[in-house]
Structures are given as C-alpha cells and as structure tokens.
Amino acid sequence: MQMQTAALASIRPRWRSNHNVDTMEQKLLALKSRFASDELTEIATNGMTQRTGNVYRTFQRYVTACNGDVNKAEQQLRGTMAFRSSDDFSRKALLRDAPTYDRFEHIFKNMPHGFHGFDATHGTTVYVDNVGMLDSDALLNGFVTERDLVVCHLLMLEYQLSVLTDEATRRKRLEPGADPLLVVDDVTNVIDMTGLRPMKLL
C-alpha cells in the first residue's frame, strides 16, 4: 500500500487543473484492478512506461485520452498490449529485426522528423514534424517496408519514454522551487509546414 501511495503521489503534480485529483485517483485504481499481476509487469517492462516502471503514469495517459472513461481506457490499453506482444512489434522483435541503418537514414531523409531539445518554459521534449519536406514517392519506393516505418516510430516513442522523459524531468527539477515529485513526460509537437504545397495534399 505504501508503494502504491508513493506511485500515485508521484503523478499528482502532472494532473491537469480540469481533473479532480481524487476522482482521477479513483479511476486509476479502478483501471489497475482490472489487470492481473503478470499483465501489470508486462505494462511496466514492454516499452509502454518510463524506466521507473510506474504503471499509473501509463494508466493516466489512457484515462485522459479517453476523457475519463475507464472502460474505453482498458479497451485501448489492452489493444496496445496485444499489439506490443505480437511477433512483429514486441520489444524482442524490435531489437531482433530492427531496420538497418541505411533504411533509417532513408526514412529520415524523406520524412524529416525528430526531437529538437526541450521547451524553455514548460520543460517538455520538443518534437518537430517537417511535413512540408515529406517526399512520399521517394519514401515508399520499395526500399523500406510499412513495418520499417512503424518500427522507426515505436523506437522513437520508446526513446522518448526511457531517455528524454528522465532528462526533461531532471532539468525541470533543478529550477528553484520545483516540485520534487514533478515528472515531465509531455511532448510539444511542432508541425513545420514550410515547403508544403497544395499538390502535396492530394
């Protein structure tokens, strides 16, 4: 119970002002109760949460995304678990059959995107999509597969969760008066439309 209380307390500072803290806490506990212990271990270790293994942060993301609906949150989380346990997209599969360097290079050359530091005000990781520079014809010329694109995206998400979240949190906690329990795991997503032409939308 003490560990559970500490895990919940660690995410309280990140709850939005439009969420009642006690209500959100009840929803997270309700969602947790629907998963067996081995399922909770899978959530904590299969690339779906931070290195701390705090499953409540994962639950919070799903509950928030589903506008507080615990049933929908459970359905979506179980869908993610099934996807991340599949032969093609489990953590072992990603490490075993990751695209080669030249494939990654091809993807980033023709679909520029990536992390570009941390937001100076909120401390969040900054992720930039250069949609105006997307060359879909070159990207999908047969050199890379659809799986390569999905794996590239998954690896970037895992990098954000396992590395950049820790760094963003460390930086923010160094600020004077910062909450020692604060965890910064939001992302500022910048859509750079420079170079986008009407024909690219067709």
Side-chain angles (χ1 to χ4, degrees):
M1 178 63 71
Q2 185 175 3
M3 290 182 63
Q4 174 174 285
T5 301
L8 282 169
S10 72
I11 64 176
R12 278 177 174 247
R14 296 300 299 130
W15 289 341
R16 305 294 189 274
S17 58
N18 61 331
H19 282 305
N20 179 279
V21 172
D22 292 330
T23 299
M24 174 60 85
E25 187 170 303
Q26 291 169 6
K27 290 179 183 293
L28 299 183
L29 290 171
L31 183 57
K32 179 177 182 290
S33 70
R34 301 185 182 194
F35 292 88
S37 59
D38 58 329
E39 292 177 316
L40 295 174
T41 300
E42 180 183 349
I43 294 170
T45 59
N46 199 22
M48 290 183 285
T49 190
Q50 291 84 358
R51 283 187 289 191
T52 59
N54 188 349
V55 295
Y56 288 107
R57 299 196 63 75
T58 300
F59 291 156
Q60 180 196 1
R61 286 194 293 274
Y62 280 82
V63 170
T64 301
C66 295
N67 199 29
D69 190 319
V70 176
N71 292 326
K72 289 183 179 179
E74 179 190 5
Q75 182 180 9
Q76 289 196 9
L77 181 51
R78 289 192 179 279
T80 300
M81 293 171 66
F83 172 69
R84 291 309 310 271
S85 300
S86 65
D87 291 337
D88 284 334
F89 300 110
S90 67
R91 173 164 280 189
K92 289 183 179 179
L94 297 191
L95 296 175
R96 183 185 65 239
D97 301 317
T100 56
Y101 176 79
D102 55 343
R103 291 177 182 270
F104 277 121
E105 190 175 43
H106 179 83
I107 291 172
F108 284 103
K109 176 182 177 181
N110 296 291
M111 187 173 66
H113 62 288
F115 297 104
H116 291 263
F118 302 91
D119 182 271
T121 302
H122 303 290
T124 57
T125 304
V126 177
Y127 179 84
V128 179
D129 276 310
N130 301 98
V131 295
M133 300 175 66
L134 170 65
D135 188 338
S136 56
D137 291 335
L139 179 66
L140 304 174
N141 66 355
F143 180 59
V144 299
T145 65
E146 290 184 6
R147 181 183 182 277
D148 290 336
L149 296 174
V150 175
V151 169
C152 179
H153 183 66
L154 287 175
L155 290 175
M156 291 194 71
L157 288 177
E158 288 202 9
Y159 177 68
Q160 187 263 323
L161 278 174
S162 64
V163 177
L164 296 182
T165 291
D166 287 352
E167 177 60 17
T169 298
R170 185 191 69 81
R171 288 167 173 255
K172 200 64 178 176
R173 287 182 179 179
L174 289 175
E175 295 182 1
D179 191 318
L181 294 178
L182 178 67
V183 175
V184 182
D185 60 356
D186 288 343
V187 177
T188 299
N189 194 351
V190 178
I191 308 297
D192 186 350
M193 302 181 70
T194 303
L196 187 65
R197 301 187 304 275
M199 287 299 294
K200 286 191 175 184
L201 301 177
L202 301 179

